[in-house]
């Protein structure tokens, strides 16, 4: 199985709190930062406005996929910041 993952890569899904889903096929030697930047570029998001979580823990963009504990078909949660929504008081 490990050789199969090495050849084909690892499928991971990034799912945001806004319901957006992006599927990636990555190699174990890919840095998580590359995936994070690709996600933001694809959805036209500012890199600083999102957080990436796996099993409730924030992911470090310097880690390799193989170091992160990700396995085939795992899901990374993406928390997109919500701006606005403040209540204006009218007198």
């Amino acid at each position: 199985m490990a050789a199969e993952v090495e050849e084909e890569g690892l499928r991971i899904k990034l799912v945001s709190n806004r319901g957006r889903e992006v599927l990636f096929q990555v190699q174990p030697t890919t840095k998580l930062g590359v995936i994070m930047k690709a996600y933001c570029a694809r959805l036209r998001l500012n890199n600083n406005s999102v957080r990436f979580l796996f099993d409730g823990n924030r992911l470090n963009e310097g880690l390799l996929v193989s170091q992160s504990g990700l396995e085939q078909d795992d899901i990374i949660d993406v928390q997109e910041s919500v701006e606005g929504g403040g209540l204006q008081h009218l007198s």
Side-chain angles (χ1 to χ4, degrees), residues 39-79:
Y39 176 87
C40 290
R42 192 173 292 183
L43 297 179
R44 296 186 175 145
L45 299 170
N46 181 331
N47 292 350
N48 297 324
S49 70
V50 294
R51 289 184 313 229
F52 297 87
L53 307 167
F54 177 63
D55 284 343
N57 298 310
R58 191 166 184 175
L59 290 173
N60 179 334
E61 63 185 54
L63 286 179
L64 299 177
V65 169
S66 61
Q67 298 170 318
S68 66
L70 287 166
E71 297 178 354
Q72 190 72 278
D73 296 320
D74 270 342
I75 296 173
I76 294 176
D77 297 312
V78 182
Q79 297 296 313

